[in-house]
Amino acid sequence: MIIHNRIACPYCDTIYDKKHLQPNESLVCSVCHTTIDRGAADFRRAFIFALTGVILFVIANAYPFITIELAGQQTTITIASSIDSLFNNRLDILGILVFFLIIITPLWYLLGVVWVVLSFRFNIAISLTRRFLHLMTHLSPWNMLEVYLVGVLVMIVKVMQMADIHFDYGFWAFSALMGCSILANYYFDLADAVTHAYTEERA
Amino acid sequence: MPTLKNEPDTCREYGFCNCLECGAVVKKDITLCPRCHSHLHSRKPKSLQKSWMFLITSIILFFPANLLPITYTRTIGQPVQVDTIMSSILFLWHHGSYAVASIIFVASIFTPFFKIAVLLYLLTHPAPKRPPVIQTKLYRFIHFVGRWSMIDVFVVALLGALVQNNLASITPGAGIFAFAAVVVATMFATEQFDIRILWDKYRDYSCKNQS
Ligand SMILES: [Zn+2]
């Protein structure tokens, strides 16, 4: 049923012969110029960055994030309390959305990378790993760590004129977390991982 | 250019189906992918209708998102300052934060507008007469930039939490909710759209002109 030696461009449906890519080689669709297979996946590095990311994630959420001093009064927030303020202002659905975008999805994604690489390495529970991978594919546009950090920076510029700002441990952990997340995403190629998850069995 | 070719060069012409979940190329006569057990469709089902639905939703919400207040700023001894997305950008601009004002303008006003425009264009011009390479690039681009529009939502959430004392306070308004809904709706509209429909129409057209 499966035509194993063929691969198709998901954007223009052009069909190609599958061939094993050398390092630094990628498969680019000659019709619509989309990169179909980047061939850049390095699961070991992805694992290291994702695991570091998980640890930083816990630190970023456990410690205070930012403190401002406004006319002698101090206010400290954590990432959670910034989401909580949306609930307090009766924007519950927005609160749930933000919680999903900056807590659930990024954490799920990082844990997903850790799990997938471990499962490949030790050949355990491959079918569960596949489920994980499909879910990660659907969730990937909703992982908004970097967007959140830009939001933080914009907010700082806005508040700077009226208040003093102190960055707490949570902020630095979060910045490092974002770096780790970007690098983990770079080295962990979802399409490659999916291919890997399905070809191991036949090999 | 794939013209004057005797051999078919797409999945559809072979009668195959590209499983978007796991990347398997499968013979079309089955409904479940034998590899990952997801439902097989040669093209995303009802993609045009679903795309239109989310796009119209986002166009309708685009107005309250830009007209309703996103923040109420209360400072002691001053009237309540009501800000919309545009007025908060102008405020930053007048205070000399040109870079940040530009970032928010691009993320909050230009990007959603551009996404809606591109989707409208793709949905109303589904039968190109030349290879839809630029359309594919545009589609992939709006897919990539979509999430960056969320910046303002995070800014408002953070401001609302941080500026909260008896001298000054910032309260998020309903506009930011409509705005987040616009971003989510355009993201759904983008994901539901199937750019391969344009390629199908173009290939049908160039086939007809050859014979
Ligand atoms: Zn292509």
Side-chain angles (χ1 to χ4, degrees):
Chain A
M1 295 287 202
I2 303 177
I3 294 95
H4 284 295
N5 57 342
R6 292 302 189 101
I7 187 168
C9 173
Y11 290 95
C12 70
D13 216 25
T14 310
I15 198 162
Y16 294 95
D17 286 329
K18 202 186 270 178
K19 67 174 192 130
H20 196 75
L21 292 175
Q22 300 301 315
N24 302 325
E25 242 185 353
S26 57
L27 178 63
V28 179
C29 174
S30 59
V31 176
C32 73
H33 311 303
T34 303
T35 307
I36 303 173
D37 194 343
R38 201 160 52 92
D42 183 337
F43 292 137
R44 206 178 54 89
R45 284 191 195 168
F47 176 79
I48 295 167
F49 286 119
L51 193 62
T52 317
V54 173
I55 297 163
L56 288 167
F57 187 93
V58 175
I59 299 172
N61 281 284
Y63 284 87
F65 195 58
I66 287 173
T67 303
I68 66 163
E69 204 176 318
L70 206 144
Q73 292 185 11
Q74 281 196 345
T75 314
T76 303
I77 56 162
T78 61
I79 294 175
S81 77
S82 82
I83 298 170
D84 200 38
S85 85
L86 289 171
F87 285 101
N88 293 340
N89 290 296
R90 283 180 295 154
L91 291 163
D92 296 35
I93 299 171
L94 200 58
I96 293 167
L97 180 73
V98 173
F99 182 67
F100 176 76
L101 297 178
I102 61 169
I103 307 263
I104 300 281
T105 316
L107 186 62
W108 178 262
Y109 206 87
L110 291 169
L111 287 173
V113 174
V114 170
W115 167 259
V116 168
V117 177
L118 282 178
S119 133
F120 284 171
R121 177 72 181 74
F122 299 106
N123 245 317
I124 39 168
I126 293 286
S127 69
L128 189 72
T129 304
R130 290 173 186 157
R131 291 265 171 81
F132 245 72
L133 281 168
H134 294 313
L135 212 60
M136 283 165 77
T137 313
H138 289 291
L139 283 179
S140 63
W142 304 96
N143 182 353
M144 299 208 186
L145 278 182
E146 309 99 283
V147 184
Y148 187 71
L149 192 67
V150 175
V152 173
L153 297 178
V154 168
M155 182 277 292
I156 288 164
V157 173
K158 279 193 164 185
V159 179
M160 235 162 32
Q161 280 129 356
M162 54 178 186
D164 284 328
I165 297 160
H166 309 284
F167 299 112
D168 295 316
Y169 292 125
F171 176 81
W172 302 116
F174 190 86
S175 307
L177 161 65
M178 193 205 64
C180 281
S181 159
I182 290 174
L183 286 166
N185 277 342
Y186 176 77
Y187 287 116
F188 186 83
D189 193 295
L190 261 176
D192 279 9
V194 172
T195 319
H196 193 90
Y198 283 104
T199 44
E200 269 320 77
E201 194 183 48
R202 292 190 298 117
Chain B
M1 290 276 272
T3 47
L4 289 170
K5 236 186 186 178
N6 293 322
E7 254 184 80
D9 66 343
T10 69
C11 266
R12 194 174 73 142
E13 287 165 75
Y14 274 111
F16 297 161
C17 192
N18 184 13
C19 175
L20 289 182
E21 289 283 326
C22 72
V25 175
V26 184
K27 281 207 178 112
K28 210 167 153 184
D29 47 4
I30 36 175
T31 51
L32 286 181
C33 175
R35 205 159 80 166
C36 69
H37 310 293
S38 57
H39 285 272
L40 275 181
H41 303 283
S42 178
R43 297 292 175 262
K44 294 177 193 169
K46 293 203 179 106
S47 88
L48 290 179
Q49 288 98 312
K50 286 186 192 162
S51 256
W52 267 119
M53 191 185 81
F54 285 117
L55 183 63
I56 291 170
T57 312
S58 62
I59 292 172
I60 295 170
L61 287 168
F62 196 72
F63 294 97
N66 283 287
L67 297 173
L68 291 179
I70 57 163
T71 51
Y72 301 92
T73 311
R74 290 180 187 83
T75 325
I76 270 201
Q78 275 174 28
V80 176
Q81 186 189 335
V82 181
D83 272 313
T84 61
I85 290 178
M86 198 63 211
S87 78
S88 72
I89 293 171
L90 289 174
F91 182 83
L92 280 168
W93 187 266
H94 288 309
H95 282 76
S97 310
Y98 302 116
V100 174
S102 309
I103 289 173
I104 303 192
F105 179 79
V106 170
S108 303
I109 304 220
F110 180 75
T111 308
F113 189 79
F114 183 73
K115 278 180 76 172
I116 290 173
V118 168
L119 282 168
L120 263 182
Y121 172 74
L122 292 177
L123 283 166
T124 50
H125 297 75
K129 296 194 166 44
R130 302 202 297 146
V133 174
I134 292 171
Q135 286 92 322
T136 309
K137 289 233 167 91
L138 278 174
Y139 175 71
R140 282 165 49 75
F141 181 71
I142 59 168
H143 205 105
F144 170 75
V145 296
R147 56 211 202 93
W148 286 97
S149 308
M150 276 292 181
I151 291 176
D152 236 8
V153 175
F154 297 143
V155 171
V156 170
L158 286 159
L159 281 176
L162 258 185
V163 187
Q164 238 14 289
N165 63 28
N166 41 24
L167 292 170
S169 73
I170 295 180
T171 312
I176 202 67
F177 177 71
F179 178 76
V182 169
V183 178
V184 171
T186 53
M187 283 176 78
F188 277 133
T190 315
E191 258 167 63
Q192 290 299 334
F193 186 73
D194 196 337
I195 192 77
R196 291 175 297 181
I197 289 168
L198 268 71
W199 286 95
D200 291 342
K201 294 266 172 63
Y202 159 70
R203 281 172 178 135
D204 291 347
Y205 172 83
S206 64
C207 252
K208 235 177 270 162
N209 276 28
Q210 266 175 42
S211 52

